[in-house]
Amino acid sequence: MARIASHRGVSATMGQNVLFRSRTDRRTFSALSPLVPSPVMSIKALRGLLLPAVAVLTGCNTVLMSPSGDVALQQRDLIVTSTLLMLIIIVPVIALTLLFAWRYRASNKAAAYDPEWDHSTMLELLIWSAPLLIIIALGALTWVSTHKLDPYRPLDRLSAGHPVPTGVKPLTVDVVALDWKWLFIYPEQGIATVNEVAAPVDRPIEFKITASTVMNSFFIPALAGQIYAMPGMETKLQAVINKPGDFEGFSANYSGAGFSGMRFTFRGMSEDQFAQWVQQAKAGGALNREQYLELAHPSENDPVSRYASVAPGLFETIVDGCVRPDAVCIDGMAAPSAGAANNMPAMSEHPMSTMTSAKDSTGHSSASEADTTAAMPASRPL
């Protein structure tokens, strides 16, 4: 009996504790209920948060979605088309997921429940055929666009319905990514600028791009896609600007402490305005090799500067890495081995060849062969 009473006492105590806790919880909940938002209040609060966010986004300049160059416009269309093709699958999948979760929830007793169901040929065909068709369409679109928008491929149109006129020569601009600024050389006009580049509207542009030290990325969102700039290499970008105005350009690849300030202005203008801009640049100083080496020193947030003349072949020497007088050009490193392979018969007439092939009366090579071989410079790896 004592044991039964003790069990009853424990049960009563537990019941009182449970009752106390539940009452406490109810009192606590009722006290906090004014602080817990209702569904209507939650929607109003959400609207209050979304409206300022939308207002802030209205000030954003979505230049990628509204570019001013035909190449960037075609790239925009490619992004939109690819997104819409993928949404053909994504939207129905999300909608059906929500529908199934609601239709077959545990509280819905009217929903059919068939635990023996395991296969449907029609459903399998629908599930697999639709994504397969989308993948085929995306693959075909990507293949065609990859070749059509190849940055090395010369332009065949200025804009939709306007092909490049016969005989029109593209404007050549040599681009050098320095630490941390951009150098633009106009070989035809004989000028150069720092952190400023200009081009006439509706005229093809051919950018030849390289870097002085580390890899960078040349990017004008309103004009075309980004192209990497690498030391010792030359990349190209074909583009055209269709609207006048000033557009931002920058480096899209981190390159050191001054990377954030590595920005420049691209100016689209008429032919007459471009001619005036060239004349303004001719009022500057000269950009020779010594001046370039001084310019190449790391600096940040450099102002726009212009040069009236450029040393002949400066861009080529920058690519070859031999601007300094004591530097060996990359082409010069590879030339001896290529020349030896292509001009083997002529080498026998070279004085060096005569020395190394000389033999004494006993038929052995003379000591000058070893001396000459030791004096020949070893080829440096590229």
Side-chain angles (χ1 to χ4, degrees):
M1 293 294 292
R3 184 176 300 177
I4 295 174
S6 63
H7 282 299
R8 289 178 179 176
V10 172
S11 300
T13 304
M14 291 178 62
Q16 292 175 359
N17 290 339
V18 172
L19 181 61
F20 177 77
R21 288 176 182 173
S22 62
R23 289 176 179 174
T24 303
D25 292 341
R26 279 199 293 269
R27 287 197 298 268
T28 303
F29 179 78
S30 60
L32 294 177
S33 58
L35 302 178
V36 179
S38 64
V40 178
M41 293 177 61
S42 299
I43 295 176
K44 291 181 178 180
L46 183 61
R47 289 177 180 175
L49 293 175
L50 288 178
L51 288 177
V54 173
V56 171
L57 290 176
T58 56
C60 295
N61 183 15
T62 56
V63 62
L64 287 177
M65 294 292 103
S66 58
S68 301
D70 184 63
V71 175
L73 187 64
Q74 295 181 68
Q75 293 173 340
R76 188 276 310 271
D77 294 342
L78 176 61
I79 294 173
V80 173
T81 305
S82 301
T83 303
L84 292 177
L85 285 174
M86 290 183 286
L87 287 178
I88 294 176
I89 296 297
I90 295 173
V91 171
V93 167
I94 294 177
L96 289 174
T97 300
L98 298 176
L99 176 62
F100 273 63
W102 172 257
R103 179 74 175 83
Y104 297 100
R105 65 192 186 277
S107 60
N108 187 11
K109 304 302 181 182
Y113 176 66
D114 186 5
E116 303 298 328
W117 182 90
D118 63 348
H119 179 72
S120 173
T121 302
M122 184 60 67
L123 188 59
E124 290 286 344
L125 290 175
L126 180 63
I127 290 175
W128 290 105
S129 61
L132 181 61
L133 292 176
I134 297 300
I135 292 173
I136 293 174
L138 285 173
L141 181 65
T142 303
W143 173 268
V144 173
S145 302
T146 299
H147 292 279
K148 186 178 180 180
L149 298 176
D150 182 2
Y152 284 75
R153 182 174 178 263
L155 299 182
D156 56 3
R157 76 176 203 180
L158 299 177
S159 59
H162 296 83
V164 176
T166 304
V168 173
K169 186 179 179 182
L171 173 68
T172 302
V173 182
D174 299 333
V175 183
V176 183
L178 302 172
D179 294 334
W180 287 276
K181 48 195 167 289
W182 292 93
L183 171 64
F184 301 97
I185 302 174
Y186 290 77
E188 297 176 5
Q189 289 73 23
I191 62 172
T193 60
V194 174
N195 288 342
E196 183 186 48
V197 58
V201 173
D202 291 335
R203 180 178 176 181
I205 312 170
E206 181 183 39
F207 292 100
K208 298 180 179 180
I209 308 167
T210 190
S212 61
T213 53
V214 299
M215 185 173 73
N216 266 286
S217 179
F218 178 73
F219 191 23
I220 306 175
L223 188 68
Q226 65 165 335
I227 299 295
Y228 284 110
M230 293 168 282
M233 299 181 63
E234 177 187 308
T235 54
K236 292 184 179 182
L237 173 64
Q238 310 287 338
V240 62
I241 189 70
N242 301 118
K243 298 178 183 178
D246 295 344
F247 307 96
E248 184 182 25
F250 53 88
S251 172
N253 189 77
Y254 181 76
S255 58
F259 159 76
S260 60
M262 199 171 174
R263 299 175 178 270
F264 61 92
T265 302
F266 176 85
R267 305 187 187 279
M269 53 186 64
S270 64
E271 289 284 356
D272 294 338
Q273 291 174 333
F274 179 72
Q276 295 175 5
W277 180 81
V278 172
Q279 292 302 319
Q280 293 175 359
K282 289 186 178 293
L287 181 63
N288 51 30
R289 294 196 177 194
E290 292 75 14
Q291 185 66 29
Y292 168 79
L293 293 175
E294 183 68 24
L295 180 66
H297 289 163
S299 59
E300 300 181 25
N301 301 316
D302 287 59
V304 173
S305 57
R306 300 165 181 169
Y307 299 91
S309 62
V310 182
L314 178 62
F315 180 74
E316 288 73 17
T317 57
I318 295 173
V319 176
D320 289 337
C322 55
V323 179
R324 297 182 180 277
D326 57 344
V328 179
C329 293
I330 296 177
D331 288 345
M333 297 178 188
S337 58
N342 298 330
N343 303 314
M344 190 65 69
M347 290 295 292
S348 60
E349 301 177 0
H350 197 277
M352 187 73 73
S353 175
T354 305
M355 293 177 60
T356 56
S357 60
K359 298 179 182 293
D360 56 15
S361 57
T362 61
H364 297 287
S365 299
S366 62
S368 62
E369 178 180 359
D371 296 337
T372 305
T373 304
M376 294 180 65
S379 61
R380 294 172 57 187
L382 295 180

